[in-house]
Amino acid sequence: MFWIWGIYNLFENGLLNMIRTATNPGEIGEAVLVGCGFMAVVVISYLLGSVNWALVISKLFYHDDVRNHGSGNAGTTNVLRTYGKKAAIFTFLGDGLKGVISVLIACAIFGYPMIVTEVNGATHYDICYTYLVTAAYLAATFAIIGHIFPIFAKFRGGKGFATFLLSALVLNPAIWLILVSIFLILVLGAHYVSLGSIVTAAFYPVLLKSFDAVYTQYGVGTLFAFFMAALIAWSHRTNIKRLWNHTERKTYFFGQKPKSENDKTDKPKDTK
């Protein structure tokens, strides 16, 4: 059942296939068509990723900029520490869903029936199916890039984990369950969101290569997964330094740890 490995297996006869059927392009026309499709995926995903929900929520509901508080990061954890759980939940969902929507748009553009052939005992997939898988991972990757370097916020964004995690849900639902388990164990056990984010992202390409034979034939998913993990690690580079120096701040989702003298947060008033 291939669908469990990605929502793209549910998409058939996408926009490019409709154009292909209507125009019957030659070899050069086909290359141009596919190239334009990939370009559209990159641009749309990056622009969607650039809509930072931490900034939207802080400005719309609190008339504030979350980057002026705490770590200065426009992400879910800083929203949680600054405005509370409700704002953090909406931030996480908003930043995560833009990755999901990016993947869905990519699938709608490149949707194509999966054609499988057996040659000398080896399984081969139609090239258009490979385009579809590539477009889906490309969309997730550029949504993450847009979140980290948003064009609408002077390239000062978040760290991309929420976008990564919900993108992984539609790309690989079964593997996503393992990723969430890893994240929860680390965060609820050690109370370091940054550690959970980095380690969870690092496990993604490992799990993908280990469990998903469909992608390992072409290396499409694994290649993009490595790049996503590298992006998440890079965006957490200051957290890695603080973890190394034992100065990283812990996050407690259940209960509240008393603040120390070195752990003061400038929390603005709720103006709603």
Side-chain angles (χ1 to χ4, degrees), residues 49-272:
S50 291
V51 179
N52 189 295
W53 282 90
L55 298 180
V56 171
I57 289 173
S58 66
K59 291 181 179 180
L60 187 62
F61 294 103
Y62 299 92
H63 309 292
D64 192 18
D65 188 332
V66 69
R67 294 174 297 181
N68 295 330
H69 305 279
S71 65
N73 180 253
T76 301
T77 303
N78 201 29
V79 169
L80 173 65
R81 292 168 178 167
T82 306
Y83 305 116
K85 293 179 181 179
K86 184 178 179 180
I89 290 170
F90 282 108
T91 299
F92 180 84
L93 291 176
D95 286 338
L97 286 174
K98 64 191 183 184
V100 173
I101 294 171
S102 295
V103 173
L104 292 175
I105 290 174
C107 292
I109 292 173
F110 277 88
Y112 199 81
M114 183 173 63
I115 301 174
V116 182
T117 56
E118 297 285 341
V119 178
N120 297 326
T123 303
H124 296 269
Y125 299 88
D126 182 81
I127 187 64
C128 290
Y129 178 70
T130 306
Y131 292 156
L132 171 59
V133 175
T134 302
Y137 278 92
L138 191 66
T141 301
F142 271 87
I144 295 170
I145 292 173
H147 181 82
I148 298 173
F149 307 106
I151 193 172
F152 304 130
K154 299 180 180 179
F155 304 101
R156 286 181 60 204
K159 299 186 178 180
F161 183 73
T163 308
F164 158 77
L165 192 63
L166 288 196
S167 295
L169 170 61
V170 292
L171 289 170
N172 315 97
I175 290 177
W176 177 82
L177 290 173
I178 302 175
L179 295 177
V180 170
S181 299
I182 293 170
F183 179 74
L184 291 176
I185 289 170
L186 287 171
V187 173
L188 297 179
H191 304 291
Y192 290 119
V193 175
S194 56
L195 178 64
S197 301
I198 296 164
V199 173
T200 300
F203 264 97
Y204 188 37
V206 176
L207 292 169
L208 192 59
K209 186 169 179 60
S210 299
F211 293 108
D212 200 346
V214 174
Y215 307 131
T216 53
Q217 180 176 352
Y218 300 104
V220 172
T222 304
L223 179 63
F224 279 105
F226 270 115
F227 188 64
M228 290 180 205
L231 278 172
I232 300 300
W234 183 88
S235 69
H236 284 83
R237 61 196 182 282
T238 56
N239 301 87
I240 293 172
K241 290 180 182 178
R242 289 196 294 269
L243 285 167
W244 182 262
N245 295 326
H246 304 287
T247 57
E248 178 71 328
R249 183 178 173 182
K250 292 186 177 183
T251 300
Y252 294 82
F253 293 101
F254 305 102
Q256 181 66 40
K257 183 183 177 182
K259 293 181 181 179
S260 68
E261 291 297 321
N262 298 321
D263 189 25
K264 294 179 181 178
T265 303
D266 178 18
K267 184 170 181 178
K269 279 186 176 182
D270 188 335
T271 58
K272 291 187 289 182

